[in-house]
Amino acid sequence: MNVDRLLASCLLTDRMAVPPCYADLGKSAKDIFNKGYGFGLVKLDVKTKSASGVEFKTSGSSNTDTSKVVGSLETKYKRSEYGLTFTEKWNTDNTLGTEITIEDQIAKGLKLTFDTTFSPNTGKKSGKVKTAYKREYVNLGCDVDFDFAGPTIHGAAVVGYEGWLAGYQMSFDTAKSKMTQNNFAVGYKTGDFQLHTNVNDGSEFGGSIYQKVSDKLETAVNLAWTAGSNSTRFGIAAKYQLDKDASINAKVNNTSLVGVGYTQTLRPGVKLTLSALVDGKSINAGGHKLGLGLELEA
């Protein structure tokens, strides 16, 4: 191992002092498979920030198969000195959402979030309280979904030491007095390599491997298997950075679905994404999907 790689590994170990949350385990491999694609969609994302510090995010997309158009608007205002973040959301389903987050105020590493949604058309309301606590070697989370029948409790914990990670995630429906989710995960993370395995509800088994081959090339492999089924699902994906402004993505799975994507930064704050999904088993039959995405940021 050369000096540069050893130094990178040591720096990563320092950063790993606080492990990721359960949802982010195996995130590097997931990003290689999911980012840079938008099959069957024409999408526009716009991000702006006012002089007073209010952030605006507008998103709209059209499904090329169904012609359905959906959109959303989000405003966010932060008061860093108080650890407060206020977020307001609206979408074309006419659902309104309000989120208030308090971080590092009650205790260092503790994050509290109060999330509510309201649909004027149906009168449906929902509320959620999220808590997250992270410190060296530990990342904990507990969310409570409030429902008239009874709240649902979601809990997660991740511990990490010298690159090794272990996590547990559960959901408990108090109305039915029943565990609805019971997941385990184990992983290992170094400077240019990540391994992640998981078992969901004792019947879904999965794993992923991520490797940064070079400064320009990243690769990922994922596997999944369901108890009682003889078939194993797997996929291979890669991302190659052509230059500082352009990159290409490609992935293929065991059902011969081939995805390719191209991302180009046209100018600072303007990013174009083109993608295509081809069914390798039915090339002449049609049904392939194209995608176009444009991101604007100012």
Side-chain angles (χ1 to χ4, degrees), residues 37 39 250-253 255-260 276-281 288-289:
Y37 304 102
F39 308 130
K251 61 181 178 179
V252 61
N253 65 16
T255 60
S256 299
L257 288 176
V258 181
V260 292
L277 181 67
V278 178
D279 187 347
K281 290 182 178 179
H288 313 303
K289 295 183 178 182

Side-chain angles (χ1 to χ4, degrees), residues 79-84 102-110:
R79 291 298 300 267
S80 301
E81 65 271 29
Y82 302 114
L84 284 170
I102 307 170
E103 189 169 5
D104 292 331
Q105 295 301 302
I106 300 172
K108 185 170 178 60
L110 179 63

